[in-house]
Amino acid sequence: MIDYDEAKMILEECDKNIENLDVEKMLNTQQGVYSNYISSLIVKFVLAYGLKNDTIRKMKITDYDENLNCIIINEYKVRLPDGLAMQMKKYKEIRKRFLEKYEIESERLFFDNNDVDKKLDNTKMFTVLKKVIGNVQAEEVAKYAIVQLLQNGVPYYIISDFTGYKKDIMEYCQNIIDKNSGMNLLENQCKILDAALIKIGNEYENRSVII
């Protein structure tokens, strides 16, 4: 899992790529420009929401509401952070220009510029991560976001439904929180277990047993 400093570096790199985009170079399919731009937007979604790769691939342009700055993800309607909201409005305009120029159509929110019918591969989706953290393992970024959601009281099952991540990743993130709160210490674990057993034992002994 990435840490706070890495998350900050990733966000700064994404914003730099998005804000400094040369639209004409992208529309003319200059090598690397489109991938860098799309990757930066996608990674911001992972950093903000902890989304799984396939969850992002399934997102449609109709899921995005630029007027309300909202997006529907796995049937959950959520607001976009202010910065991403502005960047997505610009992206929608650029996306429209690109599709019109090459007379193509796509329902996907993010598509492969070389083949709109092809699902985006991990390399193109997360190329920006390679530069910042040395790999394209978006799962490590998603874990960071999921931990933030758990710490802010969002229920486990909602996060799982929303992000697309299941038991193994969710338990990993919960373990991170437990460790940070000191529950990994055997002494604390013993206290928790002992307190629960005493409570259960006392309740049992105080019950009336009818034979």
Side-chain angles (χ1 to χ4, degrees), residues 42-69:
I42 289 174
V43 168
K44 287 197 70 170
F45 270 91
V46 178
L47 194 55
Y49 301 127
L51 304 180
K52 192 174 183 179
N53 299 3
D54 284 342
T55 297
I56 295 171
R57 291 189 182 102
K58 290 188 297 184
M59 290 161 59
K60 298 180 179 181
I61 186 63
T62 51
D63 293 330
Y64 168 56
D65 186 333
E66 64 179 317
N67 295 317
L68 296 178
N69 292 327

Side-chain angles (χ1 to χ4, degrees), residues 9-10 15 21 32 75 80 84 113 155 183-184 186 191 194:
M9 287 191 295
I10 290 169
D15 283 336
L21 172 71
E75 299 184 5
L80 296 171
L84 184 57
N113 61 318
M183 288 182 66
N184 63 314
L186 183 58
K191 287 179 180 178
D194 187 52

Side-chain angles (χ1 to χ4, degrees), residues 39-111:
S39 175
S40 297
L41 287 169
I42 289 174
V43 168
K44 287 197 70 170
F45 270 91
V46 178
L47 194 55
Y49 301 127
L51 304 180
K52 192 174 183 179
N53 299 3
D54 284 342
T55 297
I56 295 171
R57 291 189 182 102
K58 290 188 297 184
M59 290 161 59
K60 298 180 179 181
I61 186 63
T62 51
D63 293 330
Y64 168 56
D65 186 333
E66 64 179 317
N67 295 317
L68 296 178
N69 292 327
C70 291
I71 190 161
I72 298 173
I73 301 172
N74 284 335
E75 299 184 5
Y76 289 88
K77 187 173 184 178
V78 295
R79 287 180 293 178
L80 296 171
D82 292 342
L84 184 57
M86 296 300 295
Q87 291 164 343
M88 283 300 295
K89 286 183 178 182
K90 182 178 179 181
Y91 166 68
K92 187 176 181 180
E93 295 174 1
I94 295 171
R95 178 186 183 280
K96 183 173 182 289
R97 287 178 61 187
F98 186 94
L99 293 174
E100 288 176 346
K101 178 173 181 176
Y102 294 100
E103 299 180 341
I104 51 179
E105 296 180 358
S106 177
E107 292 183 349
R108 293 190 177 99
L109 181 62
F110 301 112
F111 57 83

Side-chain angles (χ1 to χ4, degrees), residues 4 9 14 31 42 61 73 76 78-79 90 101 115-116 120 133 143 157 160 164 182 204:
Y4 172 81
M9 287 191 295
C14 289
Q31 187 174 3
I42 289 174
I61 186 63
I73 301 172
Y76 289 88
V78 295
R79 287 180 293 178
K90 182 178 179 181
K101 178 173 181 176
D115 184 354
V116 293
L120 280 167
I133 60 174
K143 288 175 182 175
Y157 75 94
S160 181
Y204 176 77

